[in-house]
Amino acid sequence: PELICTVGVHPTRCGEFEEFADGPDAYLAALLACGREACAQNGGGVLCGAVGECGLDYDRLQFCPKDVQLRYFERQLEGLAVPLGLPLFLHCRTADAAADLLAILKKHRASLPETPGVVHSFDGRLEDAEEFIKLGFFIGLNGCSLRTAENLDVVQKLPADWLLLETDAPWCGIKASHAGHKFVKSTWEEVKKPEKWEEGKCVKDRCEPCHLRQVLEVIAGCRGEDVGKVCQ
C-alpha cells in the first residue's frame, strides 16, 4: 500500500497564516509550492491527494477565532484547491460551522473538481449531511461519528453510496462509553504503553488503521446490514 499526503491548514491552526514571518500570502504560496512539487513528482497528485484538512471548527474557538477560520478557509479554496485541482478533505464542527461551510462551498462549487471531496469525521445533523451530499461531497465516518445515539440515528439514514469509512488514527477510536461500541466484534491484543509496543499488538487507547474494521462493524450493526454489503 502507498501513503499519500494532503496539503492545507486545519481550522484550529489558521492563526499560522498571520503568525508567519513573511505574512499570510507567503505562507499560502509556500503551501501551494509544496502541493505542486508533490503532484509533479508523482504524475498528477498521487503523492498529494487532497487539500486539507481544512474547514471550520466552532467547537474549539479557543484555538482560533471564527473570523480567522473563515478568512483562511476561503483563501485555501482559492489559493490551493483551485490551482491544484485537488478535492477537499474537510473538517466541520457544529451546526453553525456547517451552515457557513456550505455557503462558502456553494459559492466556489463551480471551481472545484467534479468529485469535490469528503467531509471527514462527520458528527453533525442529517440535514447538513444531505446538503453536503447535494454538492457532491462524501461523508467520512470514524469513531467520533459513532459516539452518541443521535450519531447512530444519522448514520442509519445516510445513503450508503455516499459513505467513506476512516479511522483518523491515532485519534477517534471507538470507546466502551460510545453508543456504537455494542456493535464492535473485532478486538486485538494490546499493550498499555507505546514503549511496550510489539509487532501484531495495538497500544491501549490509541486508534490504529486496523480499527477500520470496528468502524465497519458499528456502521453495519446500527444500520442492520451485513458488513459485506456495507463494504460494497
mmCIF file of all heavy atoms in Angstrom, residues 45-81:
data_model
loop_
_atom_site.group_PDB
_atom_site.id
_atom_site.type_symbol
_atom_site.label_atom_id
_atom_site.label_comp_id
_atom_site.label_asym_id
_atom_site.label_seq_id
_atom_site.Cartn_x
_atom_site.Cartn_y
_atom_site.Cartn_z
ATOM 1 N N GLY A 45 -0.713 14.065 -8.716
ATOM 2 C CA GLY A 45 -1.485 14.011 -7.483
ATOM 3 C C GLY A 45 -1.458 12.715 -6.728
ATOM 4 O O GLY A 45 -2.258 12.512 -5.837
ATOM 5 N N VAL A 46 -0.580 11.772 -7.087
ATOM 6 C CA VAL A 46 -0.527 10.509 -6.363
ATOM 7 C C VAL A 46 0.035 10.702 -4.965
ATOM 8 O O VAL A 46 -0.438 10.116 -4.004
ATOM 9 C CB VAL A 46 0.294 9.462 -7.138
ATOM 10 C CG1 VAL A 46 0.438 8.188 -6.324
ATOM 11 C CG2 VAL A 46 -0.374 9.149 -8.466
ATOM 12 N N LEU A 47 1.054 11.530 -4.837
ATOM 13 C CA LEU A 47 1.630 11.767 -3.515
ATOM 14 C C LEU A 47 0.763 12.724 -2.704
ATOM 15 O O LEU A 47 0.552 12.526 -1.514
ATOM 16 C CB LEU A 47 3.043 12.328 -3.648
ATOM 17 C CG LEU A 47 3.775 12.614 -2.329
ATOM 18 C CD1 LEU A 47 3.885 11.358 -1.475
ATOM 19 C CD2 LEU A 47 5.167 13.171 -2.603
ATOM 20 N N CYS A 48 0.253 13.766 -3.329
ATOM 21 C CA CYS A 48 -0.631 14.718 -2.652
ATOM 22 C C CYS A 48 -2.047 14.492 -3.164
ATOM 23 O O CYS A 48 -2.348 14.812 -4.316
ATOM 24 C CB CYS A 48 -0.174 16.147 -2.920
ATOM 25 S SG CYS A 48 -1.143 17.387 -2.048
ATOM 26 N N GLY A 49 -2.906 13.950 -2.320
ATOM 27 C CA GLY A 49 -4.213 13.518 -2.798
ATOM 28 C C GLY A 49 -5.349 14.498 -2.600
ATOM 29 O O GLY A 49 -6.415 14.333 -3.184
ATOM 30 N N ALA A 50 -5.155 15.510 -1.753
ATOM 31 C CA ALA A 50 -6.259 16.431 -1.461
ATOM 32 C C ALA A 50 -5.725 17.686 -0.799
ATOM 33 O O ALA A 50 -4.580 17.738 -0.354
ATOM 34 C CB ALA A 50 -7.292 15.753 -0.557
ATOM 35 N N VAL A 51 -6.587 18.686 -0.731
ATOM 36 C CA VAL A 51 -6.289 19.902 0.022
ATOM 37 C C VAL A 51 -7.006 19.805 1.374
ATOM 38 O O VAL A 51 -8.210 19.589 1.442
ATOM 39 C CB VAL A 51 -6.755 21.157 -0.739
ATOM 40 C CG1 VAL A 51 -6.722 22.384 0.175
ATOM 41 C CG2 VAL A 51 -5.875 21.380 -1.960
ATOM 42 N N GLY A 52 -6.258 19.941 2.439
ATOM 43 C CA GLY A 52 -6.848 19.842 3.763
ATOM 44 C C GLY A 52 -5.837 19.336 4.779
ATOM 45 O O GLY A 52 -4.649 19.215 4.466
ATOM 46 N N GLU A 53 -6.181 19.072 5.924
ATOM 47 C CA GLU A 53 -7.535 19.095 6.438
ATOM 48 C C GLU A 53 -7.906 20.539 6.732
ATOM 49 O O GLU A 53 -7.303 21.173 7.578
ATOM 50 C CB GLU A 53 -7.596 18.237 7.707
ATOM 51 C CG GLU A 53 -8.878 18.223 8.442
ATOM 52 C CD GLU A 53 -8.804 17.347 9.701
ATOM 53 O OE1 GLU A 53 -7.820 16.631 9.910
ATOM 54 O OE2 GLU A 53 -9.765 17.426 10.478
ATOM 55 N N CYS A 54 -8.898 21.039 6.023
ATOM 56 C CA CYS A 54 -9.308 22.424 6.193
ATOM 57 C C CYS A 54 -10.812 22.478 6.418
ATOM 58 O O CYS A 54 -11.524 21.504 6.221
ATOM 59 C CB CYS A 54 -8.905 23.260 4.971
ATOM 60 S SG CYS A 54 -9.559 22.664 3.398
ATOM 61 N N GLY A 55 -11.289 23.633 6.855
ATOM 62 C CA GLY A 55 -12.718 23.771 7.113
ATOM 63 C C GLY A 55 -12.982 24.740 8.235
ATOM 64 O O GLY A 55 -12.281 25.740 8.402
ATOM 65 N N LEU A 56 -14.005 24.431 9.047
ATOM 66 C CA LEU A 56 -14.418 25.307 10.140
ATOM 67 C C LEU A 56 -14.697 24.486 11.396
ATOM 68 O O LEU A 56 -15.340 23.438 11.327
ATOM 69 C CB LEU A 56 -15.680 26.092 9.759
ATOM 70 C CG LEU A 56 -15.572 26.995 8.527
ATOM 71 C CD1 LEU A 56 -16.942 27.572 8.165
ATOM 72 C CD2 LEU A 56 -14.562 28.114 8.754
ATOM 73 N N ASP A 57 -14.222 24.974 12.535
ATOM 74 C CA ASP A 57 -14.436 24.305 13.815
ATOM 75 C C ASP A 57 -14.843 25.350 14.838
ATOM 76 O O ASP A 57 -14.006 26.029 15.419
ATOM 77 C CB ASP A 57 -13.159 23.588 14.266
ATOM 78 C CG ASP A 57 -13.376 22.690 15.476
ATOM 79 O OD1 ASP A 57 -14.194 23.060 16.348
ATOM 80 O OD2 ASP A 57 -12.721 21.641 15.567
ATOM 81 N N TYR A 58 -16.157 25.471 15.075
ATOM 82 C CA TYR A 58 -16.662 26.452 16.041
ATOM 83 C C TYR A 58 -16.774 25.853 17.435
ATOM 84 O O TYR A 58 -17.210 26.530 18.361
ATOM 85 C CB TYR A 58 -18.023 26.983 15.596
ATOM 86 C CG TYR A 58 -17.994 27.787 14.310
ATOM 87 C CD1 TYR A 58 -19.168 28.219 13.710
ATOM 88 C CD2 TYR A 58 -16.783 28.124 13.686
ATOM 89 C CE1 TYR A 58 -19.158 28.961 12.537
ATOM 90 C CE2 TYR A 58 -16.764 28.853 12.510
ATOM 91 C CZ TYR A 58 -17.959 29.274 11.936
ATOM 92 O OH TYR A 58 -17.944 29.999 10.764
ATOM 93 N N ASP A 59 -16.374 24.596 17.571
ATOM 94 C CA ASP A 59 -16.395 23.940 18.879
ATOM 95 C C ASP A 59 -15.121 24.232 19.666
ATOM 96 O O ASP A 59 -15.078 24.009 20.881
ATOM 97 C CB ASP A 59 -16.554 22.425 18.680
ATOM 98 C CG ASP A 59 -17.010 21.719 19.941
ATOM 99 O OD1 ASP A 59 -17.816 22.301 20.683
ATOM 100 O OD2 ASP A 59 -16.557 20.590 20.182
ATOM 101 N N ARG A 60 -14.089 24.714 18.968
ATOM 102 C CA ARG A 60 -12.800 24.966 19.620
ATOM 103 C C ARG A 60 -12.257 26.344 19.213
ATOM 104 O O ARG A 60 -11.130 26.478 18.749
ATOM 105 C CB ARG A 60 -11.808 23.851 19.262
ATOM 106 C CG ARG A 60 -12.173 22.514 19.889
ATOM 107 C CD ARG A 60 -11.188 21.432 19.512
ATOM 108 N NE ARG A 60 -11.394 20.956 18.166
ATOM 109 C CZ ARG A 60 -10.665 19.985 17.603
ATOM 110 N NH1 ARG A 60 -9.678 19.420 18.271
ATOM 111 N NH2 ARG A 60 -10.910 19.598 16.364
ATOM 112 N N LEU A 61 -13.085 27.337 19.419
ATOM 113 C CA LEU A 61 -12.696 28.700 19.044
ATOM 114 C C LEU A 61 -11.579 29.251 19.920
ATOM 115 O O LEU A 61 -10.969 30.267 19.588
ATOM 116 C CB LEU A 61 -13.910 29.629 19.109
ATOM 117 C CG LEU A 61 -15.005 29.362 18.065
ATOM 118 C CD1 LEU A 61 -16.213 30.256 18.326
ATOM 119 C CD2 LEU A 61 -14.487 29.565 16.655
ATOM 120 N N GLN A 62 -11.295 28.561 21.036
ATOM 121 C CA GLN A 62 -10.186 28.998 21.879
ATOM 122 C C GLN A 62 -8.839 28.845 21.164
ATOM 123 O O GLN A 62 -7.852 29.492 21.529
ATOM 124 C CB GLN A 62 -10.161 28.219 23.207
ATOM 125 C CG GLN A 62 -9.791 26.743 23.111
ATOM 126 C CD GLN A 62 -10.979 25.832 22.875
ATOM 127 O OE1 GLN A 62 -11.969 26.245 22.277
ATOM 128 N NE2 GLN A 62 -10.871 24.601 23.354
ATOM 129 N N PHE A 63 -8.800 28.001 20.137
ATOM 130 C CA PHE A 63 -7.563 27.803 19.383
ATOM 131 C C PHE A 63 -7.439 28.761 18.203
ATOM 132 O O PHE A 63 -6.332 29.087 17.782
ATOM 133 C CB PHE A 63 -7.467 26.358 18.884
ATOM 134 C CG PHE A 63 -7.353 25.341 19.980
ATOM 135 C CD1 PHE A 63 -8.334 24.388 20.147
ATOM 136 C CD2 PHE A 63 -6.273 25.350 20.847
ATOM 137 C CE1 PHE A 63 -8.240 23.440 21.156
ATOM 138 C CE2 PHE A 63 -6.163 24.416 21.858
ATOM 139 C CZ PHE A 63 -7.151 23.460 22.025
ATOM 140 N N CYS A 64 -8.581 29.187 17.657
ATOM 141 C CA CYS A 64 -8.547 30.106 16.509
ATOM 142 C C CYS A 64 -9.913 30.764 16.360
ATOM 143 O O CYS A 64 -10.934 30.068 16.282
ATOM 144 C CB CYS A 64 -8.194 29.348 15.229
ATOM 145 S SG CYS A 64 -7.958 30.408 13.791
ATOM 146 N N PRO A 65 -9.971 32.092 16.328
ATOM 147 C CA PRO A 65 -11.258 32.793 16.239
ATOM 148 C C PRO A 65 -11.998 32.482 14.940
ATOM 149 O O PRO A 65 -11.398 32.136 13.913
ATOM 150 C CB PRO A 65 -10.855 34.273 16.287
ATOM 151 C CG PRO A 65 -9.477 34.294 16.860
ATOM 152 C CD PRO A 65 -8.834 33.020 16.430
ATOM 153 N N LYS A 66 -13.302 32.640 15.006
ATOM 154 C CA LYS A 66 -14.173 32.339 13.872
ATOM 155 C C LYS A 66 -13.797 33.133 12.627
ATOM 156 O O LYS A 66 -13.730 32.586 11.522
ATOM 157 C CB LYS A 66 -15.622 32.620 14.273
ATOM 158 C CG LYS A 66 -16.644 32.455 13.159
ATOM 159 C CD LYS A 66 -18.044 32.761 13.679
ATOM 160 C CE LYS A 66 -19.071 32.730 12.568
ATOM 161 N NZ LYS A 66 -20.449 33.021 13.090
ATOM 162 N N ASP A 67 -13.552 34.427 12.787
ATOM 163 C CA ASP A 67 -13.268 35.257 11.621
ATOM 164 C C ASP A 67 -11.976 34.839 10.929
ATOM 165 O O ASP A 67 -11.874 34.884 9.690
ATOM 166 C CB ASP A 67 -13.212 36.732 12.009
ATOM 167 C CG ASP A 67 -12.097 37.043 12.994
ATOM 168 O OD1 ASP A 67 -11.947 36.304 13.989
ATOM 169 O OD2 ASP A 67 -11.367 38.037 12.778
ATOM 170 N N VAL A 68 -10.991 34.386 11.709
ATOM 171 C CA VAL A 68 -9.723 33.930 11.128
ATOM 172 C C VAL A 68 -9.940 32.608 10.385
ATOM 173 O O VAL A 68 -9.430 32.405 9.274
ATOM 174 C CB VAL A 68 -8.648 33.773 12.220
ATOM 175 C CG1 VAL A 68 -7.360 33.189 11.640
ATOM 176 C CG2 VAL A 68 -8.378 35.117 12.880
ATOM 177 N N GLN A 69 -10.720 31.715 10.969
ATOM 178 C CA GLN A 69 -11.034 30.452 10.301
ATOM 179 C C GLN A 69 -11.731 30.693 8.965
ATOM 180 O O GLN A 69 -11.375 30.087 7.942
ATOM 181 C CB GLN A 69 -11.925 29.592 11.194
ATOM 182 C CG GLN A 69 -11.267 29.048 12.446
ATOM 183 C CD GLN A 69 -12.147 28.041 13.159
ATOM 184 O OE1 GLN A 69 -12.872 27.285 12.538
ATOM 185 N NE2 GLN A 69 -12.080 28.036 14.486
ATOM 186 N N LEU A 70 -12.716 31.560 8.974
ATOM 187 C CA LEU A 70 -13.463 31.847 7.748
ATOM 188 C C LEU A 70 -12.563 32.444 6.669
ATOM 189 O O LEU A 70 -12.612 32.038 5.500
ATOM 190 C CB LEU A 70 -14.612 32.820 8.053
ATOM 191 C CG LEU A 70 -15.816 32.227 8.790
ATOM 192 C CD1 LEU A 70 -16.683 33.330 9.376
ATOM 193 C CD2 LEU A 70 -16.626 31.347 7.848
ATOM 194 N N ARG A 71 -11.741 33.406 7.078
ATOM 195 C CA ARG A 71 -10.868 34.086 6.119
ATOM 196 C C ARG A 71 -9.932 33.101 5.430
ATOM 197 O O ARG A 71 -9.809 33.099 4.197
ATOM 198 C CB ARG A 71 -10.061 35.161 6.839
ATOM 199 C CG ARG A 71 -9.160 35.988 5.913
ATOM 200 C CD ARG A 71 -8.389 37.029 6.720
ATOM 201 N NE ARG A 71 -9.268 37.787 7.606
ATOM 202 C CZ ARG A 71 -9.117 37.882 8.919
ATOM 203 N NH1 ARG A 71 -8.101 37.289 9.513
ATOM 204 N NH2 ARG A 71 -9.957 38.588 9.645
ATOM 205 N N TYR A 72 -9.312 32.230 6.197
ATOM 206 C CA TYR A 72 -8.270 31.389 5.613
ATOM 207 C C TYR A 72 -8.787 30.057 5.079
ATOM 208 O O TYR A 72 -8.095 29.405 4.293
ATOM 209 C CB TYR A 72 -7.120 31.221 6.604
ATOM 210 C CG TYR A 72 -6.424 32.542 6.805
ATOM 211 C CD1 TYR A 72 -6.550 33.257 7.996
ATOM 212 C CD2 TYR A 72 -5.703 33.139 5.768
ATOM 213 C CE1 TYR A 72 -5.951 34.500 8.162
ATOM 214 C CE2 TYR A 72 -5.114 34.380 5.919
ATOM 215 C CZ TYR A 72 -5.239 35.050 7.113
ATOM 216 O OH TYR A 72 -4.659 36.289 7.253
ATOM 217 N N PHE A 73 -10.018 29.706 5.414
ATOM 218 C CA PHE A 73 -10.619 28.585 4.701
ATOM 219 C C PHE A 73 -10.878 28.998 3.253
ATOM 220 O O PHE A 73 -10.537 28.273 2.307
ATOM 221 C CB PHE A 73 -11.922 28.128 5.350
ATOM 222 C CG PHE A 73 -12.659 27.109 4.513
ATOM 223 C CD1 PHE A 73 -12.058 25.901 4.189
ATOM 224 C CD2 PHE A 73 -13.920 27.377 4.011
ATOM 225 C CE1 PHE A 73 -12.716 24.960 3.394
ATOM 226 C CE2 PHE A 73 -14.580 26.453 3.216
ATOM 227 C CZ PHE A 73 -13.978 25.246 2.911
ATOM 228 N N GLU A 74 -11.461 30.175 3.086
ATOM 229 C CA GLU A 74 -11.742 30.635 1.722
ATOM 230 C C GLU A 74 -10.448 30.896 0.950
ATOM 231 O O GLU A 74 -10.377 30.618 -0.256
ATOM 232 C CB GLU A 74 -12.621 31.881 1.751
ATOM 233 C CG GLU A 74 -13.210 32.217 0.396
ATOM 234 C CD GLU A 74 -14.503 33.014 0.496
ATOM 235 O OE1 GLU A 74 -14.794 33.568 1.567
ATOM 236 O OE2 GLU A 74 -15.218 33.075 -0.520
ATOM 237 N N ARG A 75 -9.438 31.392 1.627
ATOM 238 C CA ARG A 75 -8.147 31.594 0.963
ATOM 239 C C ARG A 75 -7.563 30.261 0.489
ATOM 240 O O ARG A 75 -6.942 30.197 -0.597
ATOM 241 C CB ARG A 75 -7.157 32.282 1.907
ATOM 242 C CG ARG A 75 -7.436 33.749 2.195
ATOM 243 C CD ARG A 75 -7.224 34.642 0.979
ATOM 244 N NE ARG A 75 -5.896 34.550 0.426
ATOM 245 C CZ ARG A 75 -4.834 35.235 0.848
ATOM 246 N NH1 ARG A 75 -4.954 36.065 1.883
ATOM 247 N NH2 ARG A 75 -3.663 35.111 0.258
ATOM 248 N N GLN A 76 -7.756 29.203 1.275
ATOM 249 C CA GLN A 76 -7.241 27.896 0.862
ATOM 250 C C GLN A 76 -8.024 27.330 -0.320
ATOM 251 O O GLN A 76 -7.452 26.663 -1.185
ATOM 252 C CB GLN A 76 -7.285 26.916 2.040
ATOM 253 C CG GLN A 76 -6.242 27.220 3.104
ATOM 254 C CD GLN A 76 -6.270 26.222 4.234
ATOM 255 O OE1 GLN A 76 -5.679 25.141 4.152
ATOM 256 N NE2 GLN A 76 -6.953 26.581 5.317
ATOM 257 N N LEU A 77 -9.312 27.613 -0.370
ATOM 258 C CA LEU A 77 -10.092 27.212 -1.545
ATOM 259 C C LEU A 77 -9.545 27.887 -2.797
ATOM 260 O O LEU A 77 -9.275 27.239 -3.814
ATOM 261 C CB LEU A 77 -11.562 27.588 -1.364
ATOM 262 C CG LEU A 77 -12.443 26.719 -0.482
ATOM 263 C CD1 LEU A 77 -13.870 27.226 -0.526
ATOM 264 C CD2 LEU A 77 -12.397 25.267 -0.918
ATOM 265 N N GLU A 78 -9.393 29.197 -2.717
ATOM 266 C CA GLU A 78 -8.989 29.976 -3.878
ATOM 267 C C GLU A 78 -7.512 29.789 -4.222
ATOM 268 O O GLU A 78 -7.147 29.778 -5.405
ATOM 269 C CB GLU A 78 -9.251 31.460 -3.610
ATOM 270 C CG GLU A 78 -10.722 31.796 -3.403
ATOM 271 C CD GLU A 78 -10.940 33.200 -2.848
ATOM 272 O OE1 GLU A 78 -9.967 33.787 -2.314
ATOM 273 O OE2 GLU A 78 -12.074 33.697 -2.941
ATOM 274 N N GLY A 79 -6.675 29.647 -3.194
ATOM 275 C CA GLY A 79 -5.238 29.631 -3.426
ATOM 276 C C GLY A 79 -4.571 28.271 -3.436
ATOM 277 O O GLY A 79 -3.407 28.160 -3.836
ATOM 278 N N LEU A 80 -5.310 27.225 -3.016
ATOM 279 C CA LEU A 80 -4.755 25.865 -3.038
ATOM 280 C C LEU A 80 -5.622 24.916 -3.864
ATOM 281 O O LEU A 80 -5.158 24.319 -4.835
ATOM 282 C CB LEU A 80 -4.626 25.313 -1.612
ATOM 283 C CG LEU A 80 -3.485 25.810 -0.740
ATOM 284 C CD1 LEU A 80 -3.549 25.152 0.629
ATOM 285 C CD2 LEU A 80 -2.138 25.530 -1.386
ATOM 286 N N ALA A 81 -6.875 24.768 -3.458
ATOM 287 C CA ALA A 81 -7.736 23.774 -4.103
ATOM 288 C C ALA A 81 -7.939 24.057 -5.589
ATOM 289 O O ALA A 81 -7.850 23.146 -6.423
ATOM 290 C CB ALA A 81 -9.089 23.725 -3.389
#
